[in-house]
Structures are given as C-alpha cells and as structure tokens.
Amino acid sequence: MATTSSMFMYSLTIQPPTSVTQAILGQFAGTKEQQIVTASGSRLTIHRPDPTQGKITTIFSQDVFGIIRTLAAFRLAGSNKDYIIIGSDSGRITIIEYAPSQNRFNRLHLETFGKSGIRRVIPGQYLAVDPKGRACLIASAEKNKLVYVLNRNAQAELTISSPLEAHKPQTLVFALVGLDVGYENPVFAVLEVDYTECDQDPTGEAFQEVEKLLVYYELDLGLNHVVRKWSDPVDRSASMLLQVPGGQDGPSGVLVCGLDNITYRHSNQDAFRVAIPRRRGVTENPQRKRCITAGVMHKMRGAFFFLLQSEDGDLFKVTIDMIEDDNGQPTGEVKKLKIKYFDTVPIASNLCILKSGFLFVASETGNHHFYQFEKLGDDDNETEFDSGSFPANPSEPYTPVYFHPRASENVNLVESIDSMNPLLDCKVANLTDDDAPQIYSICGSGARSSFRMLRHGLEVNDIVDSELPSVPAAVWTTKITRNDEYDAYIVLSFDNGTLVLSIGETVEEVTDTGFLSSASTLAVQQLGEDALIQVHPRGIRHIRADRRVNEWPVPQHRSIVAATTNERQVAVALSSGEIVYFEMDSDGSLAEYDEKREMSGTVTCLSLGEVPEGRVRSQFLAVGCDDSTVRILSLDPESTLENKSVQALTSAPSALSIMAMPDSTSGGPTLYLHIGLYSGVYLRTVLDEVTGELSDTRTRFLGPKPAKLFKVSVKGEPAVLALSSRSWLGYSDPQTRNFMLTPLNYVPIEWGSNFSSEQCTEGMVGIQGQNLRIFSIEKLGSNLLQQSVALTYTPRKFVRHPEHPLFYTIESDNNTLSTTTKQQLLNSQPIVNGDGVQLPPEDFGYPRAQGHWASCIHVVDPISAKATLQQIDLSDNEAATTIAAVSFSSQGDETFLVVGTGKDVIVSPRSSSAGFIYIYRFLEDGKELEFIHKTKTEHPPSALLSFQGRLLAGIGNELRIYDLGLKQLLRKCQAQVVPNVITSLQTQGSRIIVSDVQESVVFVVYKYQENRLIPFVDDVVARWTTCTTMVDYETVAGGDKFGNLWLLRCPPKASEEADEDGSGAHLVHERQYLQGAPNRLALMCHFYPQDIPTSIQKTQLVAGGRDILVWTGLQGTLGVLVPFVSREDVDFFQTLEQHLRGEEAPLAGRDHLIYRSYYVPVKGMIDGDLCERYSLLGNDKKQMIAGELDRSVREIERKISDMRTRVAY
C-alpha cells in the first residue's frame, strides 16, 4: 500500500473530547491547594477548583498522543507535591509532574516493560499506588503484574527501580487497589479468577464452580521481591475494590463491591456484609439488583467514610464501626458495617471529594457536576442498615432493603461543566443569518440528553444597559490622577457637544470638570501626574489639577480631523494634512514641536503607543492616510517626525493601534501595530522596536463595516477590541500565547473603551445605537458557546426542515418504561406511603424494565423559542431508528417527514418482530406534525433518504425505493447490495453510496428506464462504517467504529461506465471480482483520531472560508479535515511534522507515527494538533527546526495559524 498520496488533508481539533475517563485529585503544584487531573481520550488536563467562587477553571491541557488507560497520584513520604503516574498504550510506565512556573507537564521517568498497543497480557490496564508512596503496581487484564519501587536520591529527585514481577499465568484480574498498612511492607489487593480448569473442561461444569479470589500481594522491601501473601474466595459478582484506611486511622483492609452486596474483607478480620438498598416505588421492579459503579473514600480527622454510587446514580454513605477499648479508643477491630442513602447525582466515571468541602462528579454522559457539601448526612432521618441484618456468606438468603429517593439535601450543585459526551449527530447550518454558520448537535443520554447549538464566540457578561438622550459618536473613560485605581469619568461625544458622567455608586452627569461641553470630542487622556486633556475639532484643552485651563487653538481655517494621545504625548492631524506633535515638559505643560509634518493625503487615523516602563516617550507615531498607506514616524528628539517605514494596504485605514502584547515567538511582550481598514479587514503586523520596520503581517476579515480598534485589558493582559459589523476581541491564548481573534457573543457596538470601577474592576464600556453598555469578559479558555434545549430520551438522529429553522429529533431508550406503561402502573395499584412520588427524570433517571423501549419524536426550535414545540410518543414497544425529510414528486414536490421504527427490538443478537415507516405531514410551517399513515416492513429501516422525488430506504441488507400511496408506501424497486445491514445512504444524481455496518461502502447506480439498482464498485477492506459523506461525485469520506477516518475514491473509468446511457446491462453482466463488485475503491487518506466518528459533512465554518470536512466524535470531539491546495505546503508541513515527532516526543512514550497508524498506516494526512505544539517549544528548539526548514520562526508560526484561522476557529 503506497503511503504517498495524490491528496493531502490537514487534521485539526476544534473541540477536544469532553468525556472524562479518569479523574484524580492531588496537590500537583506543590502548594496546599488541591487540583484535579482528568484524562479525556488522549488528552491530559489539569483543573483548579476555586472554593471561594465554587468554580472549576482549566489551567493546562496537553494531548499525549496515546490512549490514557489509567492515572494515579502518588506522593513520596515527607514531601508536599503529588506526582502523576500514567498507564497508557505505549507499553511503558510514565511518571510526570506539573511545573506551575512553566505551566506544563514535565516527564520524569519513562520505563519500558512490554509491547505497545492495548493487549490482554501487557500491563497498563490497572494501576495502584501504596498510600505512603513507596511503590506502585501496574497490571494487565491477564497474567502480568509489575511492581516498581519509588524512592528519592541524595539530590531529592524521584527514582524508580527495575520492575519486580508478580506474574500468575491463566489468571484474569478484575480490580486492583493498594492497601493502607501504615509503614509496614506495602500490600496490594487484587480480585482475580484462575481459569486453568475451565479451559480444559469441555462440559462447562468447571466454569460454574470457578471461584473469584481476593488476593494480597506483599512487596518485601528487605528482600526486594513480591510474594502472594493471602487469598480467600469472595462473591462471584465482585467487580470493585476500595481501600479502607489503616495504621492510626482505621482497621485497614478493603471493601469488595458486587451485585447487591458490599463486603468488608481483611486477612485478620471477619467478613461483614451489607446489601445495596433498592429504590421503592410503584414503577420500580422490587427484584432488580443494583451494583456499585463508582466510589470514593474520604478521610477526616479521626474519622472516614465512603460514598458509593449505584448504577441509578444514587449515592450511599458507608461507614465502619470499630470495637472500642475501656478508654473509648478504637482498637482497630471491626464491629459492623453501616450503609444509608445519601443523595442522587449523575452516574459518574469518577468521584473526587475535595478537602475544601466540594464533590467533583465526572459524569459518564452529559455535563460534569461540581457540588458543595451542605452536611454529611449524619443527622437526617434516612434509615441506616448495618451488617448485623445480613449474613456474611453471599450464598445465604436475606431480605432486601429499600429506600425512597428524594431531592438532594446533603450536596448542592454549584457549577455544571459543559460536556457533549456522547455526541451522536451533528449538522452545520446558518439559521440565524450570521456571517458564519453554527453547529447543531444532539448529545447526552436518557433524560440528561440535550440538543445543542454551538457558535464561535466569547461569553460576555452584561452589567449595565442604559438609554442616552441622543445617539453618541464616541465614548472614553479616564482617571483624574495617574495613581487612581478606578476610572472617575465617562466622557460621551455627540455631534454637537460632550457629556461627562462621573462614576461612583451611581453614574450621573457632572458639569464642573473643565471639559468643553459645547463641542464634540476627538480624544480624552489623563496626562502626566494629575492633568486631563480634551482634544476637540477646534483645539486642545489642557485641564490642570487646580482647574486652570490652557487652550491650544487650531490655526485659522483648519480643524483637527484625527488625534492620538498617551500619558506624555499628543499628536493631532489637521484638515490640511499637517501633523502637529506635542510632548509634556518637566513642569507639566504641553510643548508643541516647532515643525509641522505635511502628509501626502488626508490623514484618516493616528496612533501613539503607550510609554514603555522607565522611558519618557513612545518611540513611534503611526499615521494612516487615505492613499491606503500607513507610515511609521520617529519621535526621537534627533529625528522627530522623520519617516521610518511605510506599508501599502488594500484600502484606506480606518483605525490604528500600537500595542505591546505577549507573544509565543519571543516569549516576552512584542510591539504590534494593529490596523483596521475601511473594507472591514483587520491586520496585525510586528513593529520593530529599534528600526520601526513592519513585518509578519496577518490579516482577518471582520465584517463589511469599517473596522475600529480600541486597546482594552482582559484578565490583566492587554487585548484589542475590534469593531465592525460584529465585535471581536484579539488576545493572547492563556496557554499557548498564540494570538487569537474571536467574535463576542454580543450586540454589535460602535465604539468601545476600557472601564474600571469598584463594582466591575475589569470591564468595557461601549455604545450601541442610543444605548450605553458596560460589559465584561470572564472566560478566555473556550471560544465555542453552547446553548442547549433539553430532550426526553437518548437522541439517535436528527434532520433539518428544508426551509424553516427547525429540527426534528428521534429519541429512544432501551430497558426503560415508556410513558403509557408508566401511567398504567401508576393507575393500577393503590399508592402506599409515598410510593407514587414522581421524581424529575433528569436527576433520577427513568424507571428500568427489561425488554421495554421508550421512544419519541421531537420538533425542536433552537432559534426563537429555544425549546421543543411538539413531542410525539411511540407506543407498542416501538423504537425510532432513522429519520429523513423527503419530497415526493407524486404529491407536487411536497416535503414529508419520514420516520423508521422497529418493534420489540433486541440489540444483540440483532432481532425484532417488525419494522414500520411512518409518514408525517408538516403543519404550521413545520412547527407541528400530522400523522398520515405507516407501512410495515420485515426489519426496522436503518437508513432513509430523499431520492429523485421518492423515498430510498435501507431495510436490513436490502435497498428499496418507495413512492407515497394513499394508505401506505408503494414499493417500486429493490436490490440486495450489501451483506449485513445498511447504516447510511448518500446520493448525487443517480449514484447512491451505501454503507454497510461491517463491510465498508458500495457505490450503486439507479437505472431509471430499467428500474434497477446495480452495485458497480466496492471496497477492499471490511470497515465497520459509522458515518459517510460525499466529498465529490467520485469520493466518499467516512469513519468507522474503531476510530478511523478515511477517504475512498472510485476509479474514473468505472465511474464513467456507470453513468453511460442505456439499460446498465453491461454493468450487470460484467465479471465479479472476488465475489464482490467488478471494481474496487482506492484509499486516498487514512488517519486515526482516537474517537469514534459519529457524523461527517462537507461544509464551511467561517465566512468566506474554503470547503472542509467537519467531523464529530462520540466523546464530544469536534474536528476538521482541511484539503491542501499546493504541493509546496504539503512538503513544508510534512517536514515540520517529522521534526516535531523527534523534538516533541509524546508525553506518555507512544510513537506518534505508530499511534496515528493504529489500524492502517497513516496516509495523505498531516496531524495539525502536533504541528500546533510548535509554539509551545523552547526558543532553541524553535530556531533549530526553523533552520532546518529554511524559514524564520515567525513565518512558521504564521503558516500554522493561517491553516486554522482561514477555515476554522
């Protein structure tokens, strides 16, 4: 298979996966404060919980280019910093630390122990650490366990030993935990099953009798080897172990969690067992047994407790009572185990309890939750069950126990963190008539599912919105003296005057400020220590602290057309094209420079930079003229107003701003000239601080209106507010230091300025029409805004109305009671003491029932109503499987909504009693659906599509064409084109692309005269297709369930033959090739993004951008594939990628090229996520790679950022 390709794509992630597979807690920065480290797919992220505000902020995130399987935090005895151990698919154990000063992860150790990839016998699946930080055990699912001893050397650096083996062949491991034994030899507890006898027994009796064992492995630190110390059989359903505190804190040992039971076990104690309480209620099945899916142990002074979560999301508090001696001190011998209902939270993959009194729930699906503990549930009236009521032997009978779920009392939700996991389908469309399209998606599961609209932008916090007497032209804020902390005045300029407002408890008009109120204002500045400057068309007013006013009048018959100021300098441009420059004297007065500078054209804008720290003046003045140029003039006393450099532009400049901003290239602040043009284009160019030369220009289109620029400050960093038809903010990314330009999710404003007061320390003030608005920007971390509409069940697919901004979703949940069955149960039985209380399903889930389906169709309006408009529930145990909007030519091209359903569906092995196709008519512009009729089919339809004025349906492995009849659909044509099940359909002209669940894609042609469907080309590789889209008439892009993305192309000759006129007999009689179609598809591109693609489409994401492929992944990933236009770019990025693979090797030790080629060698794809790590390298490495590529560092960074900004966010 050739790895070179005639087609190349650049892969970029717009939103990394949001599902959290692992979450650990620790003091990773070495301070008292705890952080949370999460793993999402291949990303490692560190978050800082803020207990004062009850928020979680992301500090740093890194792609490790490998699958993170396990994480553990450990701390060497006596230190105050936690390290992180990663078990990944690299066949190596990785130890990293978080360095807060550099804000990055540093790798300390990388020890190889086996092959790469996820295999049964290669360790990495389980990881446990000794609580005292002396050793860790890394184990595989079968046979192999390795113990590493951790220590420190004389320089207080962390050291790691060679691995000690604790292998046992033909043994499966189910769970693993480190025991708390104080400072005795470290012990690890393992749940394992020996399958030697099952393997040799063909009758299956040995399998029925096999035992699950709890085994203790002890690391003898003296002899430096591992021994199997103790083993004892436990309940066969046991699947989870939790460490019980030992030493001074508790009795040591483990909690073993199995089906319907929790047992305390230890080598020198009796077993104590409690049952897991079951929910009581009319709609609950009293026989259904629960198991524990997540748990956490929390130690406090002199006490500890466990919070264990069942699969319904209910939290139970488990405590252990110990026998006390005569003095009332615990002896370390267990007396009983106690359990009681605590609260209900979403089902979690991990729970973390913070010392500051918060609970972090990393949800399995939907948003992650951050709760604050109100109380610990000690004094409530919930029934407590203890181990006295239950036998220790799991096989003996016992009476189940029940509880009533209730609304949360002990924990209180303080923050919900957006997560789009699982993301099941997505469409890109522009329904709001913005300049850029929005992304619409369905995600979540059960009652916590949602329909989400994503748009590119920053969240804006609106503080004040007040109407003014007339429409102002501009606004400024100013302090009175240099040392003031907050602004004192808001100055508003109108066409015929100026209004001054004072900022205090309230904002009110003041008249005695010395400002000229009869003329409009061009600039306002706090000058020197305590003076103010007002520039107006007829002159400059200098207002001293003692209210003396000095006025500089304009020469006769001229007026000021543009002005710029800083705290020591003023420059104004006159209508005659002259520039007058002033500088502040030592006595605080303004001195005019003798000569005026004539410019060739009319001056449209000016800018002086801020005075740098420790200097008396800004070195440069930027002048924009209507001849479409910007000139840089020197302000040095030796060469005042001399030309330094000039830049030609595509249209006249409307705004200029010289600003120093943090920069990824130089590491420190760099001087930039920001330019806004009348054409609505924004340019950012580097201004050399010595020579005044302009270089490295980057451009961005903001909107059709002329661009205006204002210097503001966000999060203590300088930023530029760019205003056109939309408002944009240019800022440095908090992590990478790259320059970002993001639109604000706000009304378009016409003028802006910084604003700082006691109530709002860092905000902005702007004018929108006749309104004055004060707002602030809180979060710079994420530039995708989400709005969500709650749905009822797990959404499966959705479709857009062809004309109106409405969507139609189908939702279904398995093993869930439908609404009608639930109602029957509630009506049929007499309700006893609170059994009939209906709890909100978004918090407590739906009642479960084996074999039942709950399903519905929703009409969603995400734009105006931001809600669901209609819900149609499906009855008779039917579940919706697919949906399409189809226009039938037999009905005068009217569009109908077509929904496919299955009755009594069993997912695996696949079976159902029947399938149906429902037809609905759109009423009220699509806001309501009217049922027309339904047609029965042998299997549930798995794909529907509008095709040449008829309905194309994939039913099982058959492709059918239906037309609309009066009583039901009429079958017109059918063919068996794939071996298993059709999963999706695409079409152009009379060509149909059919995807099979496990046999890739087939190209089919429909011959109208003959009424035949003929497959003419299929694939070489059996791909388990999940989604496809047509890139062009001959190319199809898709994803499969193993997490690959690929592009396949039809041979041109086969494509032409299929479209020849005639009956298609030549296609039917062509010789088959290897039991398939006569031709084969060619693989153009292949890539492994490490998330299962659920949708892919060809679209644009930014205004005026190129067509790209946008794909979404199940874990909440949003990614794009950008086609390269020139071969030169391909060679550049291939070389850059090659260098980065060597210089910036993945954190967890995986080889990047092998990782991206997990199933098939990577072909025709360049990993943009790796290329973007270039900006995070050290300066010497950047220079070295730039030298190899024969480019400058800035040039490389510009190329990398252009690849993203031209097509995506």
Side-chain angles (χ1 to χ4, degrees), residues 204-272:
E205 280 177 28
F207 172 70
Q208 299 302 330
E209 292 164 10
V210 74
E211 284 186 326
K212 192 173 277 186
L213 300 176
L214 174 65
V215 184
Y216 279 7
Y217 287 92
E218 181 178 20
L219 164 66
D220 193 320
L221 290 168
L223 298 171
N224 207 24
H225 76 155
V226 185
V227 289
R228 194 179 159 105
K229 185 180 174 188
W230 174 76
S231 75
D232 206 31
V234 292
D235 179 21
R236 188 147 166 198
S237 65
S239 59
M240 194 171 170
L241 294 176
L242 285 135
Q243 171 198 76
V244 176
Q248 299 298 308
D249 304 319
S252 187
V254 289
L255 286 187
V256 183
C257 303
L259 187 64
D260 206 40
N261 71 75
I262 299 163
T263 316
Y264 168 77
R265 298 301 303 264
H266 194 31
S267 54
N268 60 5
Q269 305 254 14
D270 295 338
F272 293 90

Side-chain angles (χ1 to χ4, degrees), residues 283-285 288 311-312 347 815-817 846-850:
T283 52
E284 294 290 341
N285 174 7
R288 184 162 78 85
E311 75 235 57
D312 294 333
I347 299 170
N815 296 338
T816 303
L817 280 181
Y846 292 107
R848 313 275 182 96
Q850 202 65 34

Side-chain angles (χ1 to χ4, degrees), residues 682-740:
Y682 159 83
L683 295 92
R684 182 186 74 132
T685 176
V686 175
L687 175 60
D688 189 294
E689 298 184 27
V690 181
T691 63
E693 289 293 321
L694 296 171
S695 62
D696 185 31
T697 305
R698 311 208 183 166
T699 59
R700 197 68 188 271
F701 176 63
L702 303 181
K705 285 188 177 175
K708 298 191 188 117
L709 306 174
F710 303 95
K711 182 183 174 185
V712 293
S713 141
V714 178
K715 298 276 176 221
E717 300 266 358
V720 59
L721 182 66
L723 307 177
S724 174
S725 54
R726 278 172 93 176
S727 313
W728 299 69
L729 186 75
Y731 57 97
S732 290
D733 183 272
Q735 274 189 33
T736 60
R737 288 278 167 239
N738 286 338
F739 182 74
M740 308 276 283

